[in-house]
Amino acid sequence: MKFTVSRSIGTQQRLSRKIITQDKSIALVPTMGFLHQGHLSLIRRGLRKADIVVTSIFVNPAQFAPHEDFNQYPRDHKSDLQKIRSAGGQIVFMPKASDIYPVDYETYVTVENMTGALEGKSRPTHFRGVTTIVAQLFNIIRPDFALFGMKDYQQAMVLKKMCSDLNWPIKMIIVPTLREKDGLAMSSRNKYLSPLLRAEAPALYQSLLAARQSARRGETGAAAIRRQMKRLIDKAAPSGKIDYIAFTEMESLIPVRRVDKNTVVSLAVKLGPIRLIDNLKIA
Ligand code: PAF
């Protein structure tokens, strides 16, 4: 299929209808643009699953609180389109905010309980925005598969829950986090780290690896492992302010005191003005 950019909901709906009528499958990779290798790995994985990969680029205002970085969020559409094209993605959906959220818009999708903890504590309106835009994308694009990165662990689990609760016949594929050579999880926001903060940032992943190592050596107490992680971060990333270090059951996000093979340890740390998140399955 010829590389196509659809800029309106109607155009995308027609394209999707045509693909479905031809009995071809669609994989959706939702993004907010400023693509890095992590996004491209989702596109490549999508191409192994489906005939057509649709990548959406939309910086979703509904998932940013008024004090957050919506206006500063990095954008580079020209380079994004080139990257998607060279990764093999066939369609890019780039709607206008005023089409997705017209002035009289008033419908939101909320996953109730799983969104209160972790990221939801610091960003209480964030997940309502994420689930609403992804629900819209599912309805407009009608994918068979949707791909999300494990880097945004809570987001991935919340979206899986939304998809199963609302009975969309979409297979949700969660792809492992892609990392820089020094372990820092790839993220569009990394570009805002000063050289000093960038040098401290790998401490997050090092603390996750240390947590895993402790668990593998037999430590089961979440509190003890958290203390160890905090010591490591305080030492290796002195500019860091830990927002949370949490131990939760993989799918349900229920907090655990004793870690086991289904535990995910996740954290959020503010390095200067940049808030970084990361996570690791402990066993
Ligand atoms: O992970 C992201 O980039 C966004 O939260 C998503 C899933 C594209 C929704 O805007």
Side-chain angles (χ1 to χ4, degrees):
M1 179 183 180
K2 196 169 117 261
F3 183 72
T4 308
V5 180
S6 63
R7 293 180 193 273
S8 79
I9 293 173
T11 307
Q12 183 56 52
Q13 283 171 326
R14 279 189 293 281
L15 273 171
S16 288
R17 199 174 314 123
K18 196 166 157 202
I19 295 165
I20 293 163
T21 317
Q22 292 168 347
D23 221 12
K24 288 189 174 148
S25 54
I26 301 176
L28 166 65
V29 178
T31 81
M32 298 206 296
F34 210 74
L35 305 183
H36 50 67
Q37 285 303 323
H39 296 112
L40 302 182
S41 79
L42 300 183
I43 295 175
R44 292 195 192 98
R45 180 80 179 269
L47 283 165
R48 295 210 298 271
K49 287 279 171 191
D51 300 305
I52 303 291
V53 171
V54 180
T55 307
S56 61
I57 300 181
F58 182 67
V59 185
N60 175 31
Q63 70 190 71
F64 291 80
H67 65 279
E68 289 179 345
D69 58 349
F70 174 71
N71 287 323
Q72 284 78 44
Y73 196 84
R75 292 160 171 90
D76 189 346
H77 289 168
K78 197 167 159 221
S79 145
D80 286 344
L81 294 181
Q82 276 164 2
K83 286 177 183 163
I84 295 169
R85 192 176 199 154
S86 49
Q90 298 100 326
I91 298 179
V92 185
F93 177 48
M94 297 174 70
K96 286 206 279 295
S98 55
D99 289 343
I100 295 288
Y101 302 114
V103 277
D104 59 349
Y105 189 83
E106 53 176 313
T107 303
Y108 291 86
V109 179
T110 314
V111 173
E112 299 269 314
N113 293 326
M114 292 169 76
T115 53
L118 311 181
E119 287 301 287
K121 252 197 191 134
S122 323
R123 309 180 72 190
T125 56
H126 173 68
F127 285 113
R128 180 179 99 131
V130 172
T131 40
T132 299
I133 185 61
V134 173
Q136 286 227 35
L137 294 171
F138 283 0
N139 284 337
I140 296 165
I141 297 166
R142 297 167 61 194
D144 302 280
F145 304 91
L147 294 99
F148 298 91
M150 180 67 177
K151 147 103 183 349
D152 294 296
Y153 153 64
Q154 186 177 15
Q155 166 174 285
M157 297 307 136
V158 166
L159 290 171
K160 264 179 98 168
K161 185 82 176 97
M162 172 184 83
C163 187
S164 96
D165 283 354
L166 295 182
N167 295 304
W168 268 298
I170 300 172
K171 177 141 180 29
M172 304 288 277
I173 301 173
I174 313 303
V175 178
T177 305
L178 234 68
R179 299 182 178 280
E180 305 291 351
K181 281 204 178 75
D182 59 11
L184 176 64
M186 288 189 187
S187 161
S188 305
R189 289 188 172 102
N190 290 351
K191 108 178 189 101
Y192 291 122
L193 291 167
S194 66
L196 174 85
L197 297 177
R198 176 64 189 79
E200 294 186 9
L204 275 66
Y205 184 52
Q206 285 157 16
S207 76
L208 293 170
L209 288 176
R212 177 186 270 177
Q213 201 179 43
S214 284
R216 285 184 177 169
R217 285 190 180 142
E219 175 61 70
T220 58
I225 301 177
R226 183 184 289 111
R227 279 195 298 276
Q228 185 197 359
M229 291 173 71
K230 188 174 171 334
R231 273 198 303 275
L232 193 153
I233 293 170
D234 288 347
K235 193 160 171 220
S239 320
K241 287 204 172 57
I242 299 173
D243 184 353
Y244 63 79
I245 297 176
F247 297 80
T248 51
E249 195 279 327
M250 169 88 184
E251 295 271 333
S252 65
L253 296 176
I254 292 171
V256 296
R257 282 163 184 242
R258 299 261 150 227
V259 305
D260 64 24
K261 63 181 176 19
N262 284 322
T263 305
V264 173
V265 53
S266 48
L267 48 68
V269 176
K270 221 167 163 211
L271 277 180
I274 312 301
R275 190 168 174 282
L276 298 177
I277 59 172
D278 202 351
N279 64 81
L280 197 67
K281 199 151 181 269
I282 209 147

